[in-house]
Amino acid sequence: MRFDHVARQVDDVKTTVLWYSKHLKAKVLKYHEDWAMLLIGNLTLALTKKGTHPDHIAFVVNSLDEFPCEEIDIKEHRDGSLYYYQETPDNITIEWLYWPRRDRTV
């Protein structure tokens, strides 16, 4: 398991991306109207439009067997990654994230 990113809900993704880019020299890794991924130093920060994903801390695992849930509870992001949100005893959300290997054609 390895740390992947921290995610925060924001009112306006575009405005927030522009602020982080200007004030913290964030590099935009991915951008959509409702979601963005930024690199600030060696921290990866996801910004999500309020109501789409909870604030969370994400960790990548090497196998779905490492998810602490039943297979039926695993969901898929639009980028093809598989995920599961788990609540800690003090209400912090952990995202378990897995990137399936895809066959590539040349």
Side-chain angles (χ1 to χ4, degrees):
M1 171 183 347
R2 71 171 174 75
F3 170 78
D4 191 71
H5 66 270
V6 171
R8 295 290 300 174
Q9 294 184 51
V10 298
D11 291 320
D12 185 290
V13 173
K14 182 178 181 180
T15 300
T16 307
V17 165
L18 292 171
W19 191 93
Y20 277 97
S21 297
K22 178 180 178 183
H23 295 279
L24 296 176
K25 306 210 182 324
K27 178 181 177 184
V28 179
L29 302 176
K30 295 181 184 178
Y31 175 81
H32 302 274
E33 285 186 21
D34 63 340
W35 173 81
M37 186 71 77
L38 307 177
L39 183 62
I40 305 167
N42 41 348
L43 171 75
T44 306
L45 175 66
L47 303 171
T48 63
K49 187 171 182 165
K50 283 189 179 171
T52 59
H53 293 275
D55 292 341
H56 61 269
I57 303 167
F59 296 92
V60 173
V61 294
N62 296 319
S63 165
L64 288 177
D65 293 336
E66 296 180 60
F67 276 42
C69 64
E70 299 296 321
E71 189 173 335
I72 195 166
D73 297 322
I74 298 171
K75 298 178 182 173
E76 184 174 353
H77 285 299
R78 63 180 155 207
D79 63 7
S81 61
L82 302 175
Y83 72 99
Y84 171 71
Y85 290 127
Q86 180 183 36
E87 293 294 318
T88 69
D90 34 353
N91 296 317
I92 295 171
T93 302
I94 301 296
E95 179 183 28
W96 296 81
L97 189 58
Y98 174 71
W99 292 91
R101 293 179 186 234
R102 307 262 188 225
D103 290 336
R104 296 184 184 191
T105 56
V106 179

